[in-house]
């Protein structure tokens, strides 16, 4: 029969085990930090390219020459953008002059939840394009808002706050000019309302929205954060 280990041996064994576990944890942490350091710039570049691709879907690439994805402010205005959302406004410039903005916002009253949109507006107040970034609308009914499903979203191009007049900014069932989908009115209604509110916000704050960083003297709406990067 072997004698049981004494207390000193048990303590030493526990210490060795703790040191081994600590070493493994340290190596694992260092490895994760190294992987992050190596992959973070690549991931950031991919995200930049994806964002730029999205922005050029609503603002043609020949209409700006600045790094639009880095030139933006973040605004909040419950009247224009309900639900406490923070709207990122990208500014397009051509030869140093303001050309357009692209608002990244949500229509919160979709049938199955929020609909994330990009709304491009030229400096003249005319819509350059609208695209849906994300939604949970019913396939075969509400998903007609996607450019891949139909051309309905293109119906906003060329519109402005005055064209059509206020009464026309609704789906046809509500007396407006925009088509609804068979069996799905709530989804297009939500998008039309959101785009119209974006136009109203731009009309009220276009000078501040289009201003260059050096000209940014006052903030539009309830709150704005100048997030322009050099």
């Amino acid at each position: 029969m072997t004698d049981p280990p004494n207390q000193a041996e048990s303590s030493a064994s526990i210490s060795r085990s703790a040191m081994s576990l600590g070493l493994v944890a340290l190596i694992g942490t260092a490895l994760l930090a190294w992987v992050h350091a190596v992959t973070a710039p690549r991931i950031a570049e991919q995200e930049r390219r994806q964002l730029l691709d999205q922005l050029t879907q609503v603002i043609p690439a020949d209409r700006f020459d600045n790094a639009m994805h880095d030139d933006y402010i973040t605004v909040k205005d419950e009247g224009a953008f309900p639900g406490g959302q923070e709207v990122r406004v990208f500014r397009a410039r051509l030869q140093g002059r303001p050309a357009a903005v692209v608002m990244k916002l949500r229509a919160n009253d979709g049938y199955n939840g929020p609909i994330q949109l990009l709304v491009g507006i030229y400096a003249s107040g005319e819509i350059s394009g609208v695209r849906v970034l994300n939604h949970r609308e019913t396939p075969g009914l509400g998903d007609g808002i996607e450019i891949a499903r139909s051309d309905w979203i293109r119906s906003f191009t060329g519109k402005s706050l005055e064209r059509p007049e206020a009464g026309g900014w609704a789906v046809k069932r509500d007396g407006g000019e925009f088509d609804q989908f068979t069996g799905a009115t709530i989804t297009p209604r939500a998008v039309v309302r959101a785009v119209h509110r974006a136009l109203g916000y731009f009309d009220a704050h276009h000078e501040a929205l289009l201003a260059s960083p050096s000209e940014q003297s006052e903030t539009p709406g309830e709150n704005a954060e100048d997030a322009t990067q050099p």
Side-chain angles (χ1 to χ4, degrees):
M1 173 182 267
T2 58
D3 295 331
N6 59 37
Q7 186 174 356
E9 291 175 341
S10 297
S11 298
S13 178
I14 292 172
S15 297
R16 286 193 295 271
S17 297
M19 291 178 62
S20 297
L21 289 173
L23 182 60
V24 169
L26 181 63
I27 293 173
T29 301
L31 182 60
L32 287 174
W34 178 79
V35 170
H36 175 75
V38 170
T39 60
R42 187 178 305 170
I43 293 173
E45 180 60 25
Q46 290 175 344
E47 290 175 346
R48 280 173 177 261
R49 290 181 180 179
Q50 182 181 19
L51 175 59
L52 185 58
D53 179 65
Q54 292 172 341
L55 294 173
T56 53
Q57 289 185 42
V58 294
I59 299 290
D62 62 355
R63 299 296 294 265
F64 67 95
D65 55 14
N66 66 316
M68 179 169 48
H69 52 294
D70 283 336
D71 186 349
Y72 63 84
I73 57 175
T74 302
V75 301
K76 292 179 67 176
D77 187 304
E78 191 64 24
F81 312 115
Q85 58 181 303
E86 295 184 350
V87 174
R88 186 161 288 187
V89 182
F90 299 90
R91 284 90 68 89
R93 310 182 195 280
L94 186 62
Q95 296 181 352
R97 296 184 177 182
V101 300
V102 179
M103 300 183 185
K104 187 175 182 180
L105 56 94
R106 295 192 314 268
N108 288 324
D109 47 354
Y111 184 74
N112 285 324
I115 301 168
Q116 192 172 65
L117 302 167
L118 284 181
V119 179
I121 307 174
Y122 287 127
S124 63
E126 181 180 288
I127 291 178
S128 60
V130 178
R131 290 293 184 274
V132 173
L133 296 179
N134 189 36
H135 72 88
R136 293 181 294 176
E137 301 304 277
T138 307
L141 293 175
D143 63 352
I145 57 176
E146 294 180 28
I147 190 66
R149 299 290 183 181
S150 78
D151 284 336
W152 180 83
I153 202 73
R154 296 185 189 275
S155 63
F156 293 102
T157 304
K159 299 289 195 298
S160 67
L161 199 59
E162 296 80 23
R163 193 174 63 252
E165 295 182 352
W169 277 95
V171 295
K172 290 181 178 177
R173 180 172 292 181
D174 299 333
E177 293 192 6
F178 294 87
D179 291 332
Q180 62 264 346
F181 308 141
T182 302
T185 302
I186 294 176
T187 302
R189 180 185 288 149
V191 175
V192 171
R193 286 175 177 170
V195 174
H196 189 224
R197 285 195 295 260
L199 278 173
Y201 186 85
F202 177 82
D203 182 67
H205 304 289
H206 65 278
E207 290 186 3
L209 293 176
L210 292 168
S212 66
S214 61
E215 297 171 334
Q216 201 83 41
S217 59
E218 59 182 49
T219 57
E222 297 175 359
N223 182 45
E225 176 187 355
D226 188 350
T228 306
Q229 301 178 11

